[in-house]
Amino acid sequence: MSSDFEGYEQDFAVLTAEITGKIARVPRLPPDEKKQMVANVEKQLEEAKELLEQMDLEVREIPPQSRGMYNNRMRSYKQEMGKLETDFKRSRIAYSDEVRNELLGDDGNSSENQLIKLREEMAHLLDNTERLERSSRRLEAGYQIAVETEQIGQEMLENLSHDREKIQRARERLRETDANLGKSSRILTGMLRRIIQNRILLVILGIIVVITILMAITFSVRRH
């Protein structure tokens, strides 16, 4: 899995480097080339997003205890992606000298004022867009944390369930062992009783034999 993630990382690094170079060229291009370059960058940004999604899927397959390092790397890549999108938007509204001259025309002062006002409005809109994107990224990060927390909770519940089953099996084994020990104790008790009974019988038989011998000796002595 880590090899797939690293492969996506390398592709993402190469692609973002190309996008950065193209974004820097956009404001200096004439309108026709600028339009073509913008379309190219938009396509590559979509490819970069797809790579991030693939990397995100790979990270979710990693065990929770090893996922922290990859999550940090993913946050860094997402921040880089957000910066690229912001720079791309700025480059699209940046005017080349040719476009600026066309807007200014002969009436330089009024056109200059209109251009300044337009730039201020665009900057304001761009700031609002960036705020919305940051809020969206925070919501996405919060959702991801919630999903990861839920996954960790599910895994903990599964582990607790497995531990409970192990404890139940251990209890059953202890009960079986206690039952076996009870049977063994009863058997040993019976054997001890029989041994004691046999010894008592042996003692009684010994006494009888001794008495018999003594009586025989007494009778024999009397006859003589």
Side-chain angles (χ1 to χ4, degrees), residues 30-154:
D32 293 339
E33 294 183 12
K34 179 178 179 181
K35 183 177 180 181
Q36 183 177 359
M37 182 66 74
V38 166
N40 192 348
V41 172
E42 287 177 344
K43 181 179 179 181
Q44 288 187 319
L45 285 173
E46 290 298 324
E47 292 176 0
K49 289 179 181 178
E50 291 178 359
L51 283 174
L52 281 179
E53 290 176 358
Q54 292 294 330
M55 292 161 67
D56 197 20
L57 290 175
E58 292 293 331
V59 169
R60 292 182 183 180
E61 297 296 327
I62 300 175
Q65 59 270 21
S66 305
R67 198 180 296 168
M69 177 183 66
Y70 292 95
N71 283 333
N72 292 333
R73 287 155 73 174
M74 284 299 301
R75 279 192 289 270
S76 175
Y77 295 144
K78 289 178 180 179
Q79 290 175 358
E80 182 179 358
M81 188 69 194
K83 184 177 182 301
L84 283 176
E85 291 177 336
T86 301
D87 292 342
F88 179 53
K89 290 177 182 178
R90 291 184 184 276
S91 70
R92 292 182 64 178
I93 65 173
Y95 289 93
S96 63
D97 292 338
E98 181 179 353
V99 176
R100 181 178 178 277
N101 292 331
E102 182 179 352
L103 287 173
L104 290 176
D106 296 332
D107 191 0
N109 291 330
S110 62
S111 298
E112 180 71 25
N113 292 333
Q114 291 176 2
L115 181 58
I116 292 173
K117 185 178 181 181
L118 182 61
R119 283 181 174 175
E120 290 176 352
E121 291 177 353
M122 287 184 173
H124 182 67
L125 288 173
L126 184 59
D127 290 339
N128 290 336
T129 302
E130 289 178 355
R131 291 192 188 98
L132 289 174
E133 288 179 350
R134 286 195 296 269
S135 299
S136 178
R137 286 195 293 270
R138 291 192 190 101
L139 289 173
E140 183 179 355
Y143 174 74
Q144 185 175 358
I145 292 172
V147 171
E148 291 175 359
T149 304
E150 183 180 1
Q151 291 176 349
I152 293 172
Q154 289 178 350

